[in-house]
């Protein structure tokens, strides 16, 4: 084919009906055609076939459909085949999602005792426990021996760690807040020792980490504190805000240049916290508390609990523009409280929300109305996320549901003890966490001498992998990937008859 193309370039003319066009001009005309049209043109003549299979055309189609965006045209010898393989993989993953085909693993850390909080980013899972320990797993490489992050000692007794309150992770940092008011920050590149540590005098009510940056925000008592490193890597506090009420929800605005910007919901007031405008109130209606909050690069969405049946006023989700500070739209008409909302991970002009009335709703913010409403759970909805075709929701009763958005039907469900507090997925994997409400269950021994809290009290993290081809070699049971590196073992939960080795 290269020889034919070289010969064609020498002629430098392509027959177009009754005229002859230069090759470059004909290529520009063909750039307006899609895959089907190019396939039809390739059947016209040998010259048109060479033109219709030009790498420039198929590279452009591959980029337009969102495949291999980080590659240049020289990275593949046949972009038509590359596009075909990408579409085949996408269809395979979609079918696996729908039919629950793939591998599922449980991420447990027995010495940690009861699970307190879980967060994940791009397949890396971070978990905090009542023992004060913080654990990482990298599900992209099936690394079940990832490190336990070492925390800086708090003001309490020497050698003891306070219970973990919150954990957050992004592509470069991991942050944990403890019950005694301490905060530790680790770099995912520089090992287990924290690179930064600071202390609040009172318990921390909320913790936020910028999705793509290095800023950390904490709320304690009536104070919101921002921490971020400077150009030389030295951590500093660029801003500290005094607010009137206790913070319930806290988010950092992603993709902000300059000083970090936070959005905080404190009872019935929503603040937009900037260093240059520290007291900016985004929304405030007395007696109407905020029940959930999520933030994207330009907008903030939050649920508001109105006076309900007293004034025949249903609960709603408000969408604000963070640049103009104006309310763009109000969506939802429910007598139940909106318990969770996901704006940042949703497709453009869409958001998904869960409600205590047991329904999951998808809203089109341009039209200001619900696209679909799903009767999802036996109790309230606690976590939601959506993409172009599916919705994943978690409930108070521990049920995880996967839905086909267009059909409005449930594809499959999984149940575990304790509420689903964390849901994250991408094209090929899904991370969920069932976190107990009771951190010190009655009737179980949780002393330092006997950490054997029964498994049903601990909570659990599930990792689903729907990319079957990726697991063809590595699909070994997690228990068989274990090693004897641990000094102390907790074999009361292991149901093996014989010892095992690394495989």
């Amino acid at each position: 084919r290269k020889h034919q193309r070289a010969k064609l370039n020498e002629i430098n003319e392509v027959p177009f009906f009754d005229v002859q066009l230069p090759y470059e001009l004909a290529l520009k005309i063909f750039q307006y055609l899609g895959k089907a049209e190019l396939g039809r043109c390739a059947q016209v003549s040998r010259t048109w076939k060479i033109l219709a299979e030009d790498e420039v055309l198929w590279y452009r189609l591959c980029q337009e459909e969102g495949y291999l965006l980080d590659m240049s045209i020289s990275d593949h010898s046949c972009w038509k085949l590359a596009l075909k393989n990408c579409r085949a993989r996408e269809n395979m993953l979609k079918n696996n999602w729908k039919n629950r085909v793939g591998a599922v693993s449980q991420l447990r850390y027995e010495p940690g005792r009861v699970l307190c909080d879980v967060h994940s980013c791009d397949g890396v899972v971070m978990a905090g426990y009542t023992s004060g320990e913080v654990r990482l797993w990298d599900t992209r490489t099936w690394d079940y021996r990832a490190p336990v992050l070492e925390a800086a000692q708090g003001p309490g007794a020497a050698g003891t760690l306070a219970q973990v309150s919150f954990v957050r992770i992004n592509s470069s940092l991991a942050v944990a807040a403890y019950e005694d008011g301490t905060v530790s920050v680790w770099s995912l590149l520089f090992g287990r020792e924290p690179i930064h540590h600071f202390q609040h005098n009172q318990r921390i009510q909320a913790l936020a980490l910028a999705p793509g940056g290095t800023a950390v925000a904490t709320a304690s008592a009536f104070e919101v504190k921002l921490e971020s490193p400077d150009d030389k890597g030295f951590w500093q506090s660029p801003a500290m805000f005094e607010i009137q009420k206790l913070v319930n929800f806290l988010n950092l605005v992603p993709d902000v240049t300059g000083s970090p910007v936070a959005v905080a919901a404190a009872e019935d007031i929503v603040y937009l916290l900037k260093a240059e405008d520290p007291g900016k109130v985004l929304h405030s209606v007395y007696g109407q508390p905020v029940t959930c909050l999520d933030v994207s690069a330009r907008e903030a969405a939050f649920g508001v609990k109105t006076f309900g049946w007293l004034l025949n006023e249903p609960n709603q989700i408000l969408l604000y523009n963070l640049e103009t500070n104006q309310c763009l739209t109000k969506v939802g008409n429910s007598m139940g409280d909106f318990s969770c909302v996901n704006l940042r991970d949703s497709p453009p002009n869409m958001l998904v929300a869960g409600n205590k009335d047991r329904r999951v709703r998808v809203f089109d913010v341009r039209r200001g109305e619900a696209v679909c409403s799903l009767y999802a759970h036996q109790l309230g909805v606690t976590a939601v996320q959506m993409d172009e075709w599916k919705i994943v929701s978690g409930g108070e009763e521990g049920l995880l549901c996967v839905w086909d958005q267009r059909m409005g039907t449930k594809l499959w469900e999984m149940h575990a003890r304790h509420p689903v507090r964390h849901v994250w997925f991408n094209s090929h994997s899904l991370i969920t966490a069932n976190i107990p409400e009771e951190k010190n269950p009655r009737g179980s021994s949780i002393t330092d001498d006997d950490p054997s809290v029964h498994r049903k009290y601990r909570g659990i993290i599930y990792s689903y992998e729907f990319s079957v081809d990726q697991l063809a070699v590595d699909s070994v049971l997690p228990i068989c990937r274990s090693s004897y590196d641990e000094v102390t073992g907790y074999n009361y939960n292991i149901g093996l008859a014989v010892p095992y080795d690394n495989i």
Side-chain angles (χ1 to χ4, degrees), residues 237-479:
S237 182
M240 191 175 297
F241 306 96
E242 295 289 337
I243 56 178
Q244 303 173 12
K245 300 181 179 181
L246 296 178
V247 172
N248 307 105
F249 306 98
L250 180 64
N251 285 74
L252 281 166
V253 180
D255 306 326
V256 172
T257 57
S259 300
V261 179
V263 178
E267 297 182 17
D268 51 12
I269 305 176
V270 179
Y271 295 92
L272 181 61
L273 303 176
K274 300 180 181 179
E276 61 273 13
D277 190 7
K280 182 66 179 179
V281 174
L282 193 65
H283 170 83
S284 177
V285 176
Y286 181 76
Q288 296 189 3
V290 174
T291 56
C292 57
L293 170 69
D294 194 32
V295 173
S296 67
R298 292 186 175 86
E299 297 165 338
F302 48 89
V304 174
K305 183 178 181 179
T306 59
F307 297 108
W309 58 271
L310 289 175
L311 298 177
N312 194 24
E313 186 178 3
N315 300 322
Q316 293 181 318
I317 289 181
L318 277 59
L319 186 69
Y320 271 78
N321 187 302
L322 297 178
E323 297 176 354
T324 64
N325 302 329
Q326 298 295 317
C327 181
L328 299 177
T329 185
K330 298 179 181 180
V331 295
N333 291 286
S334 171
M335 289 299 154
D337 301 345
F338 284 99
S339 51
C340 52
V341 60
N342 194 323
L343 172 67
R344 187 169 63 91
D345 300 320
S346 299
N349 303 309
M350 306 286 283
L351 66 87
V352 60
N355 198 290
K356 287 187 177 180
D357 66 1
R358 302 173 284 187
R359 286 189 174 274
V360 173
R361 295 173 173 87
V362 177
F363 297 100
D364 186 332
V365 297
R366 293 168 298 184
R367 294 186 295 168
E369 60 184 34
V371 176
C372 67
S373 178
L374 308 170
Y375 187 79
H377 296 273
Q378 301 165 10
L379 299 176
V381 184
T382 53
V384 287
Q385 186 181 337
M386 69 175 290
D387 63 8
E388 287 77 9
W389 69 272
K390 65 179 176 292
I391 304 166
V392 179
S393 62
E396 193 80 34
E397 75 287 350
L399 197 65
L400 175 78
C401 299
V402 179
W403 306 82
D404 187 310
Q405 177 189 333
R406 184 176 65 86
M407 301 296 292
T409 56
K410 185 186 295 184
L411 299 173
W412 51 272
E413 64 182 32
M414 290 285 285
H415 183 267
R417 194 182 181 102
H418 309 300
V420 180
R421 295 295 180 191
H422 177 72
V423 166
W424 174 89
F425 68 81
N426 59 13
S427 62
H428 61 85
S429 61
L430 168 66
I431 306 293
T432 67
N434 297 72
I435 302 176
E437 293 286 351
E438 181 59 59
K439 301 299 187 289
N440 298 303
R442 292 176 295 176
S444 62
S445 175
I446 56 172
T447 62
D448 292 335
D449 296 330
D450 183 13
S452 57
V453 179
H454 195 282
R455 228 175 214 197
K456 68 181 181 181
Y457 296 122
R458 291 175 177 269
I460 191 169
I461 306 169
Y462 283 103
S463 173
Y464 300 81
E465 180 57 58
F466 300 99
S467 179
V468 177
D469 293 339
Q470 180 180 335
L471 294 174
V473 178
D474 300 324
S475 57
V476 182
L477 289 175
I479 197 69

Side-chain angles (χ1 to χ4, degrees), residues 85-98:
N85 292 337
C86 288
R87 291 181 64 88
R89 174 179 166 80
E90 183 181 18
N91 291 333
M92 181 268 292
L93 289 173
K94 191 171 183 178
N95 290 331
N96 289 355
W97 266 96
K98 289 185 175 182

Side-chain angles (χ1 to χ4, degrees), residues 18 38 67 71 74 76 84 111 119 134 191 208 277-278 282 352 356 389 420 435 448 469 475 501 503:
D18 56 346
L38 287 176
Y67 301 124
M71 290 190 175
S74 59
H76 271 285
K84 179 181 177 181
H119 198 242
V134 178
D277 190 7
L282 193 65
V352 60
K356 287 187 177 180
W389 69 272
V420 180
I435 302 176
D448 292 335
D469 293 339
S475 57
D501 299 318
I503 297 179

